[in-house]
């Protein structure tokens, strides 16, 4: 359904983004942020799925400033490679990859009001986007690793936010989720009886009932705030 296009950030940096357009008139724009595995077949399928629901979807490559053409799988080796790439991006001088996400938001605005959804590291970037970027009307981070650290909890969301976490997530302890909930009472927080990565149908941690419920809640949230 989608294809890659070239997008230009405010600093002139050019990067690819997977764009999936709805078959009917768009009900809104949506930025989808990758896990640490790149804009791989799973993220492309997620983008296509949201496009099928009527959204103009943009999934930017958030690794492109440190390495081009990243599409990893889900082996232990892939995870190690993805973590190293994430570390490299996080070490970029500000605004780093946030400038690319801002450019993706501007592109997605072709579809109307813009929301942002991200998974894993993309969930963390979604949270940061909700707190610091312009042009958003809603944000949905899925199990954003790092969201519950003191520095990230100190941020303040600027748009309605729905956060999905997993009860058995070894990367995000439940006490951190509870602290996040208390620090951000306006954020709707849902917990699922699942592991980190439960939305991904290419990972062993996939939990179909949790993924279906989270998607249902996400679509309802997007419909409320975007259209």
């Amino acid at each position: 359904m989608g294809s890659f296009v070239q997008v230009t950030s405010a600093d002139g940096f050019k990067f690819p983004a997977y764009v999936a357009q709805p078959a009917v008139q768009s009900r809104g724009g949506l930025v989808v942020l990758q896990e640490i595995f790149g804009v791989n077949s799973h993220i492309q399928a997620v983008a296509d799925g949201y496009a099928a629901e009527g959204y103009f979807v943009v999934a930017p490559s958030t690794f492109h400033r440190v390495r081009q053409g990243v599409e990893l799988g889900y082996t232990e080796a892939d995870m190690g490679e993805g973590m190293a790439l994430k570390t490299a991006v996080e070490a970029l001088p500000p605004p780093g990859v946030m400038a690319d996400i801002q450019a993706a938001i501007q592109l997605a605005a072709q579809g109307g009001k813009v929301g942002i959804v991200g998974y894993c590291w993309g969930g963390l970037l979604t949270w940061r986007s909700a707190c610091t970027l312009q042009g958003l009307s809603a944000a949905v981070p899925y199990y954003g690793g790092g969201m519950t650290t003191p520095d990230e909890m100190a941020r303040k969301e600027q748009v309605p936010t729905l956060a999905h976490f997993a009860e058995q997530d070894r990367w995000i302890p439940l006490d951190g989720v509870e602290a996040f909930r208390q620090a951000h009472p306006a954020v709707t927080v849902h917990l699922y009886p699942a592991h980190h990565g439960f939305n991904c149908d290419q990972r062993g941690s996939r939990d179909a009932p949790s993924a279906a419920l989270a998607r249902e809640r996400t679509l309802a949230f997007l419909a409320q705030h975007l259209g």
Side-chain angles (χ1 to χ4, degrees), residues 25-200:
Q25 183 175 354
S26 175
R27 60 192 299 179
L30 189 66
V31 174
V32 171
L33 297 183
Q34 63 173 71
E35 307 161 302
I36 60 169
F37 307 101
V39 184
N40 59 9
S41 60
H42 169 63
I43 293 299
Q44 292 174 38
V46 168
D48 290 344
Y50 282 119
E53 296 290 340
Y55 294 100
F56 182 97
V57 186
V58 179
S61 172
T62 48
F63 279 156
H64 202 70
R65 286 183 184 261
V66 298
R67 187 186 299 175
Q68 300 179 5
V70 178
E71 291 188 37
L72 301 175
Y74 293 93
T75 67
E76 285 297 321
D78 290 325
M79 182 170 292
E81 187 174 351
M83 288 293 290
L85 289 167
K86 170 195 170 184
T87 299
V89 174
E90 293 279 318
L92 291 170
V97 74
M98 300 308 294
D100 304 339
I101 298 171
Q102 183 68 71
I105 292 169
Q106 292 164 354
L107 176 58
Q110 293 183 29
K113 291 182 179 179
V114 180
I116 188 166
V117 179
Y119 304 85
C120 183
W121 177 48
L124 172 60
L125 295 176
T126 293
W127 171 245
R128 291 176 181 167
S129 299
C131 298
T132 64
L133 299 185
Q134 304 299 312
L136 290 172
S137 295
V140 185
Y142 274 71
Y143 34 82
M147 278 179 61
T148 60
T149 63
D151 285 349
E152 295 298 336
M153 281 198 293
R155 300 182 189 273
K156 173 61 180 174
E157 73 279 3
Q158 303 299 315
V159 297
T161 301
L162 168 66
H164 301 298
F165 292 102
E167 293 176 354
Q168 301 166 51
D169 193 330
R170 65 190 179 100
W171 305 104
I172 308 173
L174 285 177
D175 58 354
V177 175
E178 183 56 33
F180 180 89
R181 191 199 302 267
Q182 293 183 14
H184 297 278
V187 175
T188 301
V189 175
H190 289 298
L191 268 171
Y192 300 84
H195 295 274
H196 187 87
F198 67 78
N199 181 73
C200 181

